[in-house]
Amino acid sequence: MGLISEEYVRLLGAWPSPFVLRTRIALNLKRVPYEYLEEEDSLNSESVLNYNPVHKQIPILIHGNKPIRESLNIVMYVDETWLSGPPILPSDPFDRAVARFWDVYIDEHCFTSINGVAVAKDEEERKAAIEKLEMCMALLEETFQECSKGRGFFGGDNIGFIDIGFGSMLGPLKVLEKFTGVKFIHPETTPGLFHWADRFYSHEAVKPVMPDIEKLVEFARLKFNTSIFK
């Protein structure tokens, strides 16, 4: 390849990854044209090792020749670099801090609980992970009511930082619901999240890049060789 334009955007990712999905949604919201490069074996990818030698993980956004790593960091970079499209993070410093707090919470508690259900060694361990995940959903229901202020998204009238952070987890949640029989997002227990999820899925920035649930199911069966996926 010849010289790379300073404005040329590439994304190294893998289709099942909720963290890659965050970046794709942010780029779509900002109407940023980019080249998507699927990395089927990111652990052994020369490009991934070259652009992220520390963590050796995707997603990696390459703007010109500058790599930006870690999904939430990338979403913030996209928001600050491209002014096209609606803002992703709030302008108020306190509201920005709140949004960042909840996205970190989603990663540290919700995602780890999703993974915990998938890799649980026995029924007791699985039950504990399910209970923790249900607690996460209850707390995010309260957070949605507070942050949305009666509007359609955590970010108000438009998809924002928390919407992207949590919305990227909807696919894995639906896979768990299929295999456990537990409805983590339910119209009676989490009515705000239930209707929010429909709006999120149908958004023009999300719909084209949201992974197919049946494909995610098959991916989970291959990745997690545990009884829950058999």
Side-chain angles (χ1 to χ4, degrees), residues 9-113:
V9 179
R10 290 169 288 164
L11 174 62
L12 305 184
W15 70 266
S17 168
F19 304 104
V20 172
L21 179 61
R22 290 174 175 176
T23 304
R24 302 194 76 177
I25 293 171
L27 290 168
N28 286 351
L29 278 172
K30 293 293 186 173
R31 304 184 185 93
V32 179
Y34 65 97
E35 179 184 5
Y36 177 68
L37 302 171
E38 181 75 19
E39 297 290 342
E40 294 184 2
D41 184 9
S42 60
L43 291 176
N44 296 303
S45 165
E46 184 177 341
S47 295
V48 172
L49 295 176
N50 181 41
Y51 285 111
N52 192 359
V54 177
H55 292 129
K56 304 177 180 65
Q57 294 175 337
I58 51 173
I60 305 169
L61 185 74
I62 307 167
H63 187 193
N65 280 310
K66 298 177 294 186
I68 303 95
R69 312 165 186 96
E70 303 296 325
S71 66
L72 297 179
N73 188 44
I74 293 172
V75 172
M76 287 188 284
Y77 178 86
V78 169
D79 190 39
E80 294 169 359
T81 302
W82 288 280
L83 302 181
S84 54
I88 295 173
L89 279 146
S91 58
D92 180 79
F94 175 77
D95 291 340
R96 290 171 69 91
V98 169
R100 288 194 295 265
F101 170 85
W102 283 111
D103 268 16
V104 171
Y105 173 85
I106 288 162
D107 283 359
E108 292 184 350
H109 295 275
C110 300
F111 178 71
T112 55
S113 295

